[in-house]
Amino acid sequence: MWVGSLLYLLPLVVVAFAGSSKSHEHKVKEAVAPPRAWIKHTPAPLDRIIKLRIALPQANFGVLEEHLYAISDPYNERYGEHLSKEEVEELVAPRPESIDAVNEWLSTHGIQDKDIGRSPAGDWLTVHIPVSLVEKMLDTKYYVWKHTDSGEYIVRTTSYSLPKHLHEHVELIQPTTMFGTFRKLKSTIHSFNEMDASSQSQNLPPLVDLATGVTVDASCNTTITITCLKEIYNAVNYTPSAHVGNSIGITGYLEENANRADLQTFYQDQVPAAAAVNSTFKFISVAGKYFRGLNSQNISLAGVEANLDVQFAFGLSFPIASTFYSTAGSPPFIPDINTPENMNEPYTDWLDFILSHPNPPLAISTSYADDEQTVPESFARRACAGFAQLGARGVSLMFGSGDGGVGGGNPASPECLTNDGQNRTRFIPGYCTCICHVTAVGGTIHFPETAVSFSGGGFSNYFARPLYQEAAVTGFLDRLPKGTYAGLFNPNGRAIPDVAAQSVSFRVFVGGRAISVAGTSASTPAFTGFVALLNDARLRKGLPSLGFLNPLLYSKAASGFRDITIGNNPGCGTPGFNATTGWDANFAKLLKLVT
């Protein structure tokens, strides 16, 4: 009887083991060619801790996107009916079977529920584990890679695998195949003669835009101040309120410090009303498991990028509630220093944090970016989904379009090469500006305004042209001579920038001294400041915030902008695109259109 029972059960045991083996057979989930200029340096230390982020498919993201476009369309009856945090999270929550499958997989590798960080919607899982375990889980090999041009180091692999049954339950895992070069966008910094800005216009007639009748002090063609921006964009007489629930935010990365003493000096120079009440910003540190975002007030550590952003965004929007976010993480990673975590992509930490926040600022400016081709398409699309969630909740997101013309990060390069192993010449669009759910801000110069040569602009290779851009971009392409730049860009892609603003000769205080700064990192916080003013006008009338701007900008609000028709953005050994049609705001007109 015992022998018979054993013989009876043995085939079932064999079948059970065979099924288990089959279900855990690995299959490649994602693979990339080694990107240009990155070389293997050494095998990654097996005990190095990696913050592994696992994205589960968002069950009803398509429904969320439908909501987003309905509530962002000024001609839709649902315009402005933003969703709550809880409504958004319900739409992006993963299916229960995906949660169960991934939890089971993690537990087989000794990772328990208490070790897993989960986003509020449960669509992102985070674990901190050593390289040795990651390599086993993903059937891969990690290396320290060195960038031959910049000297940066990162820990990455060029492919990873998952058990076959998990592919439908996992959208992507990072850091794996992303070779990003997260960087600040300012293009030029040079010493500034510490004279009173108004003295430069003495005995010079004011500048007049004959097309609009706007009059601007002559000094604004050599130095941009808060007063200049208000004059140029016709917002001189507008005073916002501090009591209608409005808010504005600046994101800070790469250990950039926003100095409060410099802000006070800036206010004394350009916003006396803010100086009189010692106005300042709220600081929020976005913390990881091992690092916290810092904001040292040592005057010698004041950051040009951070000071530029907070001084102009908060100076324009005073007294609206303002917040500066500092997120930990500063590339390059140095492989011989015993840091506990590779932190080359801090942006995702901020996005996780702000999505979990019950009341994010209503207008947020970011002056940092990668080249689109350094970010895997799967990751870019997932980030796009995160921005869509914020837009659906009534948040306007602004990103600088970059300072490399059509050439991405290297405007002086005679050639712009693809990272796909084929080294094809191609215009290099920026990331995150090519994402459809943010507003990309380009740069202009002088008054009347012309496009500035370094302003990033072009077409995404990942994202198709959204419907809201169809008329404007089709018209632009129709005016291009036939065959212009054929093969160098994707004419069907999402086009950037969406708007443009002054971006040269901003008078910024750093370490107690006034310097002049240029870049789309200047135009972006400036435009964000004006968005905060428009939100102020709406909130005063009991209307909701503007939220995702682009459908409005390309339709009802189009008449509140004027075309920039002079200038181009050279790169990749070409003159780039001409500014035959552009966007440049008139605040007074926009104010009437949005209220």
Side-chain angles (χ1 to χ4, degrees):
M1 182 69 178
W2 180 84
V3 174
S5 297
L6 180 61
L7 292 174
Y8 176 75
L9 290 172
L10 187 58
L12 297 181
V13 174
V14 172
V15 169
F17 274 109
S20 175
S21 175
K22 181 178 179 182
S23 67
H24 288 82
E25 182 182 346
H26 279 67
K27 176 184 176 182
V28 173
K29 177 68 174 176
E30 188 167 30
V32 299
R36 189 176 58 84
W38 287 100
I39 59 173
K40 286 182 181 178
H41 181 66
T42 57
L46 294 180
D47 59 350
R48 178 163 301 283
I49 299 297
I50 284 183
K51 179 180 181 179
L52 202 67
R53 296 169 49 81
I54 304 167
L56 279 57
Q58 298 168 325
N60 293 298
F61 177 75
V63 178
L64 171 70
E65 201 166 35
E66 290 176 5
H67 282 295
L68 173 66
Y69 280 100
I71 63 183
S72 304
D73 178 357
Y75 298 112
N76 190 296
E77 62 182 9
R78 292 187 57 209
Y79 180 64
E81 294 181 4
H82 305 310
L83 303 183
S84 69
K85 176 176 179 289
E86 292 73 22
E87 288 171 329
V88 167
E89 290 169 358
E90 183 177 351
L91 289 171
V92 299
R95 301 187 306 274
E97 52 266 34
S98 293
I99 298 172
D100 292 342
V102 174
N103 284 348
E104 181 183 358
W105 172 60
L106 292 175
S107 69
T108 63
H109 291 282
I111 301 171
Q112 304 304 313
D113 189 67
K114 63 181 178 62
D115 304 317
I116 305 171
R118 301 179 189 272
S119 65
D123 56 332
W124 277 105
L125 308 184
T126 304
V127 292
H128 294 77
I129 53 179
V131 165
S132 57
L133 180 54
V134 180
E135 291 183 342
K136 180 180 178 182
M137 293 170 61
L138 304 184
D139 191 25
T140 190
K141 177 65 178 175
Y142 275 78
Y143 289 89
V144 176
W145 293 76
K146 180 179 180 180
H147 195 273
T148 55
D149 295 338
S150 68
E152 292 185 41
Y153 294 88
I154 58 176
V155 173
R156 294 293 188 270
T157 182
T158 53
S159 70
Y160 67 96
S161 301
L162 289 171
K164 287 182 177 180
H165 76 283
L166 278 182
H167 277 238
E168 64 177 301
H169 301 299
V170 174
E171 187 170 327
L172 64 100
I173 297 178
Q174 291 291 350
T176 50
T177 58
M178 184 163 65
F179 287 76
T181 53
F182 199 63
R183 63 183 184 275
K184 293 167 267 188
L185 290 182
K186 59 182 180 294
S187 70
T188 56
I189 301 173
H190 53 273
S191 297
F192 182 81
N193 189 351
E194 295 188 39
M195 65 175 68
D196 181 74
S198 63
S199 67
Q200 299 178 47
S201 63
Q202 291 179 357
N203 303 319
L204 293 176
L207 306 168
V208 180
D209 186 339
L210 297 179
T212 63
V214 173
T215 300
V216 174
D217 191 276
S219 66
C220 298
N221 261 355
T222 57
T223 305
I224 291 295
T225 63
I226 293 294
T227 298
C228 283
L229 290 173
K230 288 186 174 182
E231 288 182 357
I232 291 170
Y233 300 115
N234 200 14
V236 172
N237 296 318
Y238 189 85
T239 302
S241 170
H243 307 293
V244 292
N246 200 5
S247 51
I248 183 172
I250 293 291
T251 63
Y253 304 94
L254 310 185
E255 299 179 357
E256 276 279 324
N257 299 304
N259 189 270
R260 297 179 188 275
D262 280 335
L263 180 63
Q264 292 308 312
T265 304
F266 175 84
Y267 281 161
Q268 291 165 12
D269 184 66
Q270 300 184 33
V271 193
V277 295
N278 199 34
S279 178
T280 191
F281 53 84
K282 180 180 180 181
F283 169 67
I284 293 182
S285 170
V286 179
K289 181 174 182 179
Y290 296 104
F291 301 107
R292 296 187 64 88
L294 303 176
N295 192 37
S296 171
Q297 293 305 293
N298 184 329
I299 197 69
S300 67
L301 298 179
V304 175
E305 183 72 72
N307 276 12
L308 163 66
D309 294 349
V310 302
Q311 288 171 20
F312 275 88
F314 301 162
L316 279 166
S317 59
F318 170 80
I320 295 169
S322 56
T323 302
F324 174 69
Y325 296 90
S326 176
T327 303
S330 178
F333 158 71
I334 307 299
D336 58 354
I337 294 179
N338 189 27
T339 55
E341 187 172 12
N342 178 26
M343 293 289 291
N344 287 90
E345 185 49 52
Y347 188 80
T348 52
D349 287 328
W350 179 82
L351 187 53
D352 288 346
F353 174 85
I354 205 69
L355 285 171
S356 71
H357 199 283
N359 296 297
L362 298 177
I364 302 175
S365 176
T366 297
S367 293
Y368 302 76
D370 291 332
D371 292 337
E372 186 182 65
Q373 67 173 357
T374 67
V375 179
E377 185 173 348
S378 61
F379 184 87
R381 292 191 178 280
R382 188 57 182 241
C384 183
F387 298 136
Q389 293 175 56
L390 288 170
R393 290 172 58 183
V395 177
S396 301
L397 295 166
M398 274 61 67
F399 281 77
S401 69
D403 298 336
V406 294
N410 189 4
S413 174
E415 57 182 357
C416 300
L417 301 178
T418 60
N419 263 352
D420 57 5
Q422 300 181 37
N423 287 338
R424 295 171 295 144
T425 300
R426 188 96 169 167
F427 292 162
I428 308 298
Y431 165 85
C432 305
T433 51
C434 278
I435 289 175
C436 298
H437 303 137
V438 306
T439 298
V441 184
T444 65
I445 187 172
H446 297 146
F447 186 86
E449 292 177 88
T450 61
V452 71
S453 62
F454 58 69
S455 182
F459 298 80
S460 173
N461 292 316
Y462 290 168
F463 296 94
R465 180 164 61 247
L467 186 60
Y468 61 73
Q469 279 195 329
E470 189 62 32
V473 176
T474 299
F476 171 83
L477 293 173
D478 287 345
R479 286 187 290 273
L480 277 180
K482 190 174 182 179
T484 301
Y485 305 142
L488 294 182
F489 73 100
N490 173 22
N492 299 312
R494 186 267 202 263
I496 61 169
D498 301 299
V499 297
Q502 289 284 325
S503 61
V504 178
S505 300
F506 275 52
R507 181 175 166 88
V508 179
F509 284 83
V510 181
R513 297 180 59 249
I515 65 170
S516 182
V517 181
T520 55
S521 59
S523 55
T524 305
F527 181 78
T528 303
F530 284 114
V531 173
L533 297 184
L534 294 173
N535 276 335
D536 174 82
R538 287 179 60 83
L539 293 169
R540 285 186 179 192
K541 291 189 174 184
L543 299 171
S545 61
L546 290 168
F548 176 42
L549 292 173
N550 294 4
L552 171 71
L553 298 179
Y554 286 91
S555 58
K556 183 179 180 180
S559 62
F561 292 81
R562 59 179 178 266
D563 286 344
I564 303 299
T565 58
I566 300 174
N568 59 298
N569 61 343
C572 306
T574 76
F577 293 108
N578 290 323
T580 54
T581 299
W583 304 90
D584 188 45
N586 182 305
F587 178 78
K589 288 185 178 180
L590 286 172
L591 193 62
K592 294 178 181 179
L593 290 168
V594 303
T595 58

